[in-house]
């Protein structure tokens, strides 16, 4: 039987109403945002602090302070703490980013109170025991050495150094000696300055009842503001003069390529348009770079581009790993694609694909309470509100080919881009 | 609880649906009952390279991904030793686009030499990226043939050797497609904003025209029982020493599957697991150490993998590890520790069900195993495990003759 299917008529996904957020404060003014929805009796609780890499005056202090939170508190050793959290079926992630640090906990509602009690211990009563610190640093040195064997890590570390400068906390590279300098006192000091009530916020998402806020207030609402203040960090970012850097690593079969530079962040009016341009360049499977370097030439398993916001700036980066013999050819194709976008308009079909794909992506960003919490946090941390997503959706629907060409000319000036390679090639 | 309905089309396609109206999306999964275990040992890697080629489009619909992107969909696929799985999440309004495309590529594909040549390069780069260009990346290329001498689990899904990819012939790939990509060798699962009634109507609309074909009968050589311990020392320029140990266990549907899963949770479930508290934190022999089961459909492996701290020798690390294993064989697990891993299992089970894509994957997989009802009974099976069952399984599997060990030695 011969059968010729025809693609059914499509509907463009649309952003109608965004999930509701209830904004509250605890008794001591800690802001709490609640996102009530979900089918299962579970919640996600995120505590975040302005305690990321940007706050670092000593290398590794932000990540070490964060990782040491679960290594012993006034009432529990690290093993006791973890045994309890596991007993209640809690999953948690301690995290450190360039700007923020904190913890995300996932728990069943029946254990919410227990979980909050342990979260309070961990966040506000850590003791930073010396023996635990020593063994953590030894382990981390081991992990670090393993990571430095991967070309991806060599390339990205060099990329941040070149783009943000070797002395800026966004750009500073870690060396083996850094694992030997931290003491419990320096960590306590960092903790008291940055893990404080006036430097944090809470997001709760999932199914919850009227008691959720009450429980939060019981454990976190009475903490007093810290007397020590966050230090004013140097915010001067200056990229390296040298645009092309190769990090040599003998014996690798592939070389990692990272091309990009600092750029605007979410607070800038052009940002939504830049996100669309980024999608066209390398943001999805049908992007220009993916089609050219993977699907036409077979140079790589994957190539992607990304525009990301930081508190002080933003950056764009194109990343791929290619066989050593194709490095130059791959880099030339990347520049060719960028130049092409500056010189020729994006066609109607491609633009429709990108519009539709991105609208679908927005729906996925709000699919369920946990995804919604992550999505909202990514704008709240820049002091923006939900209107950002309406602006993004409007821009996706209305951007013109000329606007895209202009954005490519403004934000992808080839001479300004850093070109980092790492590997044997 | 995952509510589901299931039915079968006349051509043999099995369909399983979970309606979840808390989302505007639908996740669609097509699972083909074929993996690298079905390959000829002389031409391995076919299942995986075919998965790549399934995105090349057909005469009818030349650009597969384009239509999905227009529908606002996100899609991907994976191949392992047992199955090949294609999945899409998209706004429920556009579900028919997903069904249309899956139906079209189940019906036939356009396998051009040009596309094959490009995907050979892509897969070669994938092989390099995953197996050669990472420290310890090649360990599964060593551990599989150490543990399996006969069964096709002895090679990984990407292939036994990259030359198999380089010399892959179009006719072999096409034959592979013709043999396995048939409606009665596939399962369609859906989870999200779609009713069972609508799924039934649409599955019929889009798939019933595909001709029924003779179902392939799988007959794989069983792995002979291992009687002697096997050891391999591998020297390479890596930052630190690493140790891998693998024991043969039963199949996915064998009665002690969940007991072994619970054993690995006791050993390495979270930071309160025995391996972490005793050997990483306590004796500081490893910088990380994990235990897991491979969950293969045919008899699989229970694997330990750990990186040694500087200055620790293999024998000392192995000795400490075997003391932990002996504890399981000789002493009952105490009630609070049992309760802890059971609670954790329950909680991870609930969390995994917050994602429609995950639910679609699980439904298709349990249907393939022939035990779809078990999807809602896993917590009970796990809760019913006793300390006796743990001790018996530990004694049954953890013995030297059943063990394969790799000392991965750093030459730095």
């Amino acid at each position: 039987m011969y059968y010729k299917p025809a693609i059914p008529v499509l509907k463009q996904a649309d952003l109608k109403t965004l999930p509701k957020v209830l904004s509250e404060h605890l008794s001591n003014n800690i802001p709490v945002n609640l996102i009530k929805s979900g089918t299962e009796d579970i919640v996600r609780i995120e505590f975040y602090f302005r305690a990321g890499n940007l706050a670092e005056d000593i290398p590794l202090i932000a990540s070490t302070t964060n990782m040491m939170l679960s290594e012993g508190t006034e009432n529990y050793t690290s093993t006791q703490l973890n045994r309890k959290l596991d007993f209640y079926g809690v999953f948690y992630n301690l995290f450190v980013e360039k700007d923020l640090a904190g913890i995300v906990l996932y728990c069943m509602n029946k254990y919410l109170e227990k979980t909050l009690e342990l979260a309070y211990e961990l966040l506000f009563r850590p003791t930073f025991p010396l023996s635990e610190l020593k063994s953590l640093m030894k382990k981390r040195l081991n992990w670090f050495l393993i990571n430095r064997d991967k070309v991806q890590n060599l390339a990205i570390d060099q990329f941040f150094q070149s783009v943000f400068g070797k002395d800026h906390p966004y750009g500073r590279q870690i060396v083996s000696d850094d694992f030997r300098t931290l003491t419990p006192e320096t960590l306590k000091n960092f903790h008291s300055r940055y893990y404080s009530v006036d430097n944090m916020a809470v997001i709760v998402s999932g199914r919850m009842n009227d008691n959720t806020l009450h429980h939060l207030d019981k454990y976190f609402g009475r903490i007093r503001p810290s007397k020590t203040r966050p230090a004013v960090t140097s915010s001067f970012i200056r990229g390296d003069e040298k645009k092309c850097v190769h990090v040599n690593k003998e014996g690798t079969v592939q070389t990692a390529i990272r091309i990009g530079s600092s750029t605007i962040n979410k607070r800038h009016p052009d940002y939504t348009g830049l996100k669309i341009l980024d999608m066209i360049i390398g943001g999805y499977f049908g992007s220009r770079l993916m089609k050219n370097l993977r699907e036409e030439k077979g140079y790589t398993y994957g190539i992607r581009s990304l525009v990301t916001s930081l508190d002080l700036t933003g950056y764009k980066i194109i990343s791929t790993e290619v066989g050593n013999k194709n490095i130059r050819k791959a880099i030339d194709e990347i520049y060719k694609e960028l130049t092409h976008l500056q010189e020729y308009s994006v066609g109607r079909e491609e633009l429709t694909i990108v519009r539709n794909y991105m609208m679908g992506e927005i729906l996925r960003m709000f699919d369920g309470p946990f995804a919604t919490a992550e999505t909202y946090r990514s704008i709240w941390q820049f002091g923006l509100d939900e209107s950002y997503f309406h602006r993004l959706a409007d821009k996706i629907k209305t951007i013109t080919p000329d606007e895209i060409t202009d954005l490519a000319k403004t934000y992808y000036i080839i001479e300004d881009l850093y070109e980092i390679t790492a590997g044997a090639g | 609880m995952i509510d589901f309905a299931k039915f079968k089309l006349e051509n043999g396609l099995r369909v399983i649906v979970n309606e979840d109206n808390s989302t505007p999306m639908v996740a669609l999964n097509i699972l083909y009952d074929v993996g690298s275990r079905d390959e000829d040992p002389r031409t391995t890697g076919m299942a995986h390279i075919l998965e790549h080629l399934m995105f090349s489009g057909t005469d009818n619909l030349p650009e597969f991904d384009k239509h999905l992107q227009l529908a606002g969909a996100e899609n991907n696929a994976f191949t392992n030793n047992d199955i090949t799985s294609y999945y899409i999440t998209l706004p429920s309004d556009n579900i028919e686009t997903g069904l249309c495309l899956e139906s079209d590529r189940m019906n036939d594909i356009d396998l051009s030499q040009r596309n094959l040549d490009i995907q050979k390069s892509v897969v070669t780069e994938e092989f390099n990226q995953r197996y050669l260009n990472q420290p310890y990346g090649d360990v599964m290329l060593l551990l599989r043939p150490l543990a399996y001498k006969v069964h096709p689990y002895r090679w990984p899904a990407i292939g036994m050797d990259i030359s198999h990819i380089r010399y892959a012939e179009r006719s072999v790939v096409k034959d592979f497609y013709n043999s396995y990509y048939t409606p009665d060798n596939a399962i369609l699962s859906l989870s999200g904003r779609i009713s069972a009634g609508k799924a039934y109507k649409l599955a019929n609309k889009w798939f019933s025209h595909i001709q029924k074909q003779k179902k392939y009968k799988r007959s794989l050589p069983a792995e002979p029982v291992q009687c002697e311990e096997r050891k391999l020392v591998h020297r390479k320029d890596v930052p630190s020493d690493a140790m891998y140990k693998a024991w043969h266990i039963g199949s996915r549907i064998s009665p002690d599957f969940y007991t072994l899963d619970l054993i690995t949770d006791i050993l390495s479930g979270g930071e309160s697991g025995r391996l972490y508290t005793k050997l990483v934190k306590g004796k500081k022999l490893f910088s990380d150490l994990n235990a897991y089961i491979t969950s293969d459909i045919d008899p699989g492996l229970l694997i330990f993998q750990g990186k040694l701290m500087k200055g620790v020798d293999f024998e000392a690390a192995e000795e400490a590890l075997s003391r932990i294993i002996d504890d399981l064989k000789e002493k009952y697990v105490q009630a609070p520790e049992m309760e802890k891993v059971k609670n954790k299992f329950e909680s991870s089970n609930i969390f995994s069900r917050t994602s429609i894509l995950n639910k679609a994957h699980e439904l298709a997989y349990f249907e393939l195993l022939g035990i779809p009802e078990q999807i809602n009974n896993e917590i009970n099976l796990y809760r019913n495990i006793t300390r006796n069952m743990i001790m018996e399984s530990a004694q049954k599997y953890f013995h030297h003759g059943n063990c394969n060990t790799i000392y991965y030695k750093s030459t730095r």
Side-chain angles (χ1 to χ4, degrees):
Chain A
M1 184 174 75
Y2 182 71
Y3 184 90
K4 191 174 165 71
I7 283 288
V9 180
L10 288 165
K11 287 190 191 156
Q12 190 184 62
D14 203 1
L15 183 69
K16 289 159 197 138
T17 50
L18 291 168
K20 279 214 172 56
V21 180
L22 202 62
S23 293
E24 301 277 358
H25 285 90
L26 300 185
S27 307
N28 54 2
N29 238 6
I30 296 176
V32 179
N33 282 319
L34 305 162
I35 299 157
K36 294 187 184 184
S37 67
T39 54
E40 309 289 335
D41 209 13
I42 50 184
V43 283
R44 173 190 191 273
I45 313 154
E46 175 168 357
F47 298 88
Y48 63 91
F49 302 79
R50 298 222 160 261
N53 298 129
L54 186 61
E56 287 185 336
D57 46 357
I58 313 170
L60 291 178
I61 194 159
S63 58
T64 308
T65 303
N66 183 264
M67 291 169 94
M68 284 295 292
L69 294 175
S70 61
E71 294 291 332
T73 68
E74 284 170 29
N75 290 311
Y76 303 106
T77 65
S78 101
T79 304
Q80 287 168 335
L81 196 70
N82 280 306
R83 203 170 279 158
K84 276 187 174 278
L85 286 164
D86 281 337
F87 189 87
Y88 301 126
V90 177
F91 289 87
Y92 72 92
N93 270 328
L94 288 161
F95 67 87
V96 179
E97 301 166 0
K98 291 241 185 278
D99 296 311
L100 304 178
I103 188 170
V104 182
L105 302 116
Y106 296 87
C107 77
M108 294 187 270
N109 270 317
K110 59 180 172 184
Y111 296 126
L112 176 68
E113 252 204 282
K114 304 271 186 201
T115 306
L116 290 175
E117 189 226 315
L118 294 167
Y120 168 71
E121 274 286 318
L122 189 148
L123 288 170
F124 289 100
R125 306 181 116 188
T127 48
F128 303 105
L130 178 63
S131 59
E132 306 283 358
L133 176 63
K134 276 187 176 165
S135 81
L136 176 71
M137 293 322 252
K138 261 179 127 176
K139 268 187 291 173
R140 286 189 71 188
L141 180 59
N142 243 31
W143 301 337
F144 169 77
L145 293 173
I146 291 168
N147 279 330
R148 295 290 291 179
D149 248 32
K150 299 178 185 169
V151 291
Q152 293 94 326
N153 296 321
L154 293 174
I156 192 73
D157 289 352
Q158 180 59 48
F159 176 82
F160 286 136
Q161 177 181 320
S162 292
V163 171
F164 300 125
K166 66 178 171 44
D167 297 321
H168 195 276
Y170 283 164
R172 184 163 47 212
Q173 292 213 56
I174 300 301
V175 294
S176 296
D177 280 345
D178 294 336
F179 292 89
R180 299 186 184 96
T181 51
L182 294 172
T183 65
E185 283 61 43
T186 52
L187 299 180
K188 278 178 198 159
N189 188 277
F190 186 87
H191 178 264
S192 69
R193 271 191 292 159
Y194 294 98
Y195 285 79
S196 62
V197 295
D198 39 12
N199 201 35
M200 70 177 285
V202 187
I203 304 172
V204 188
S205 56
R207 255 205 209 170
M208 57 193 95
N209 52 40
D210 298 338
N211 285 330
T212 307
L213 193 65
H214 172 76
H215 290 322
L216 263 174
D217 203 51
K218 179 176 161 195
Y219 290 102
F220 295 92
R222 286 179 229 160
I223 310 165
R224 296 227 200 94
S226 157
K227 286 181 203 89
T228 43
R229 293 254 134 200
V232 181
T233 43
S234 80
S235 58
F236 191 67
I237 292 176
R238 195 167 67 190
D240 208 342
E241 294 288 320
K242 208 172 150 205
K243 298 288 180 189
C244 294
V245 180
H246 176 71
V247 185
N248 197 48
K249 167 103 185 103
E250 288 304 324
T252 68
V253 291
Q254 285 183 327
T255 290
I257 300 170
R258 299 290 180 272
I259 290 174
S261 65
S262 63
T263 195
I264 54 173
N265 68 12
K266 281 192 174 124
R267 298 189 190 103
H268 193 285
D270 280 353
Y271 191 79
T272 51
L274 188 60
K275 276 298 221 193
I276 299 165
L277 172 60
D278 172 58
M279 189 62 78
I280 296 169
I281 294 170
Y284 71 119
F285 201 89
S287 68
R288 300 262 175 119
L289 291 175
M290 199 67 168
K291 274 194 163 154
N292 181 342
L293 277 83
R294 174 177 150 136
E295 293 299 301
E296 276 167 32
K297 306 211 168 64
Y299 288 161
T300 179
Y301 178 48
I303 180 163
R304 62 234 147 252
S305 71
L306 182 72
V307 172
T308 297
S309 287
L310 300 175
D311 196 30
L312 303 181
T313 177
Y315 65 91
K316 52 186 179 288
I317 183 166
I318 292 167
S319 319
T320 188
E321 282 78 48
V322 301
N324 295 332
K325 65 176 193 300
N326 290 324
I327 303 166
R328 201 61 246 171
K329 282 187 266 183
I331 291 173
D332 287 345
E333 289 301 325
I334 291 169
Y335 291 141
K336 211 186 282 177
E337 291 296 346
L338 295 177
T339 311
H340 197 271
L341 277 162
Q342 294 163 350
E343 291 171 357
Y344 302 94
S345 296
V346 174
R348 202 161 55 176
E349 187 187 60
E350 184 180 4
L351 193 50
T352 308
I353 291 172
V354 168
R355 287 193 216 278
N356 288 11
Y357 179 76
M358 287 186 83
M359 290 308 294
E361 191 182 62
I362 292 187
L363 278 193
R364 277 186 291 277
M365 282 157 61
F366 291 101
D367 190 20
F370 302 158
T372 302
E374 284 175 42
T375 301
Y376 276 140
R377 196 267 254 179
S378 73
I379 53 151
W380 290 336
Q381 74 179 92
F382 295 97
L384 300 170
D385 63 18
E386 298 85 282
S387 66
Y388 170 84
F389 296 103
H390 290 295
R391 276 193 289 124
L392 178 63
D394 286 344
K395 188 51 90 179
I396 292 167
K397 287 185 230 169
T398 59
I399 195 166
T400 63
D402 286 347
E403 274 180 85
I404 292 170
T405 312
D406 285 344
L407 286 164
K409 284 186 203 158
T410 311
Y411 293 104
Y412 282 89
I413 298 166
I414 309 280
E415 299 75 55
D416 290 352
L417 300 176
Y418 288 89
E419 180 188 303
I420 312 299
T421 49
Chain B
M1 178 78 181
I2 303 180
D3 283 318
F4 63 87
K6 46 175 263 183
F7 49 89
K8 199 175 193 173
L9 304 190
E10 273 176 29
N11 58 17
L13 178 70
R14 285 163 282 173
V15 185
I16 187 159
V17 197
N18 159 247
E19 181 174 358
D20 176 351
N21 290 313
S22 71
T23 164
M25 319 289 285
V26 177
L28 181 170
N29 184 200
I30 295 233
L31 181 157
Y32 288 97
D33 182 3
V34 60
S36 59
R37 64 175 168 162
D38 298 303
E39 293 162 349
D40 184 325
R42 292 162 300 180
T43 54
T44 64
M46 291 306 111
H48 174 249
I49 198 165
L50 175 58
E51 173 221 309
H52 277 241
L53 288 158
M54 289 293 284
F55 293 87
S56 303
T58 65
D59 286 342
N60 286 329
L61 302 168
E63 294 167 273
F64 182 86
D65 287 297
K66 181 181 94 175
H67 303 290
L68 285 175
Q69 287 146 6
L70 279 166
E74 179 77 56
N75 70 302
N76 213 332
F78 68 84
T79 307
N80 66 25
N81 295 76
D82 293 323
I83 61 169
T84 313
S85 183
Y86 299 85
Y87 50 94
I88 303 170
T89 50
L90 77 178
S92 64
D93 285 343
N94 292 333
I95 180 65
E96 287 200 61
T97 305
L99 294 168
C100 168
L101 286 155
E102 289 297 357
S103 142
D104 185 53
R105 67 179 176 178
M106 186 186 289
N107 193 47
D108 202 7
I109 55 161
D110 171 29
L111 220 170
S112 72
Q113 187 61 46
R114 182 177 176 270
N115 283 335
L116 176 60
D117 289 340
I118 289 168
Q119 291 308 318
K120 282 182 186 183
S121 308
V122 172
V123 172
T124 304
E125 292 305 326
E126 181 181 358
F127 182 85
N128 289 341
Q129 191 170 322
R130 291 186 186 209
Y131 293 87
L132 303 186
N133 224 29
Q134 313 268 358
Y136 320 100
D138 60 350
V139 71
M140 287 316 272
L141 300 175
L142 306 167
L143 191 58
R144 284 181 178 280
L146 186 67
Y148 293 101
K149 298 299 170 194
V150 173
H151 190 280
Y153 284 166
R154 70 183 195 269
W155 60 84
I158 201 150
M160 194 186 303
D161 190 288
I162 203 63
S163 67
H164 288 197
I165 300 302
R166 205 170 296 137
Y167 300 116
E169 282 174 39
R170 195 156 69 114
S171 60
V172 176
V173 184
K174 190 68 204 259
D175 284 349
F176 201 86
Y177 171 82
N178 288 338
S179 309
Y180 298 105
Y181 281 61
T182 62
D184 67 354
N185 206 39
I187 295 161
L188 163 65
S189 71
L190 296 154
S191 173
R193 190 176 281 269
I194 186 164
S195 67
K198 190 172 175 197
Y200 181 79
K201 221 176 72 194
L202 294 179
N204 268 292
K205 176 178 171 188
W206 291 104
F207 289 90
S208 62
H209 67 280
I210 302 174
Q211 300 259 313
K212 188 183 176 97
Q213 281 161 59
K214 212 174 79 194
K215 186 165 165 70
Y216 171 85
K217 278 249 175 1
R218 177 175 285 123
S219 125
L220 300 176
E223 182 65 21
V225 176
Q226 182 181 334
C227 300
E228 268 188 19
E229 187 176 8
R230 297 173 190 150
K231 282 197 168 179
L232 177 77
V233 178
H234 183 65
R235 290 187 171 77
K236 213 166 173 187
D237 181 22
V238 287
S240 60
D241 292 337
M243 184 161 67
Y244 301 83
K245 287 177 95 66
W247 283 267
H248 290 277
I249 56 169
S251 69
R252 175 63 183 79
I253 55 168
S254 67
D256 48 18
F257 175 82
Y258 290 100
T259 310
L260 290 160
D261 193 28
L262 186 145
I263 285 178
T264 59
D265 288 345
I266 285 175
L267 291 170
S268 80
E271 304 221 325
S272 73
R274 292 186 182 183
L275 296 180
Y276 186 82
T277 52
K278 297 190 173 169
L279 302 188
V280 178
K281 263 192 112 55
K283 295 197 167 139
K284 303 181 175 63
L285 297 171
F286 294 87
S287 67
D288 62 62
L289 180 60
N290 285 299
Y292 65 97
I293 49 175
T294 53
S295 307
D296 295 315
I297 292 181
D298 288 331
L301 300 171
L302 190 156
I303 299 177
F304 281 73
Q305 52 184 39
K307 309 252 158 43
L308 275 62
M309 290 297 283
K310 281 257 174 304
V312 173
D313 62 52
F314 280 98
E315 287 71 23
E318 199 169 15
E319 171 59 28
L321 190 57
S322 49
R323 240 175 285 149
I324 304 252
I325 292 166
D326 288 345
D327 274 350
L328 287 168
K329 297 202 269 191
E330 291 158 11
K331 290 185 209 145
Y332 281 134
V333 177
Q334 302 283 303
E337 192 176 12
M338 286 285 261
E339 190 58 24
K340 182 194 78 176
V341 289
K342 288 177 179 180
N343 288 347
K344 196 86 189 250
F345 182 85
E346 180 178 350
S347 142
S348 81
N349 206 274
I350 297 171
F351 279 106
S352 74
R353 273 141 208 209
T354 57
S355 144
I356 51 171
L357 182 57
N358 220 353
K359 285 195 286 182
H361 280 309
E362 297 246 311
L363 284 168
Y365 193 67
F366 276 85
E367 174 62 27
L368 174 73
L369 294 174
I371 44 172
E373 304 74 25
Q374 196 162 300
I375 204 167
N376 289 316
N377 195 34
E378 278 194 295
I379 292 176
N380 287 330
L381 289 171
Y382 205 91
R383 283 250 172 239
N384 291 337
I385 295 167
T386 63
R387 55 187 196 170
N388 264 323
M389 289 158 77
I390 293 174
M391 195 182 272
E392 278 166 23
S393 289
Q395 287 166 354
K396 182 174 168 193
Y397 296 104
F398 290 130
H399 60 86
H400 288 300
N402 189 32
C403 185
N404 301 277
T405 305
I406 296 180
Y407 287 176
Y408 201 119
K409 285 195 171 168
S410 163
T411 54
R412 265 180 222 178

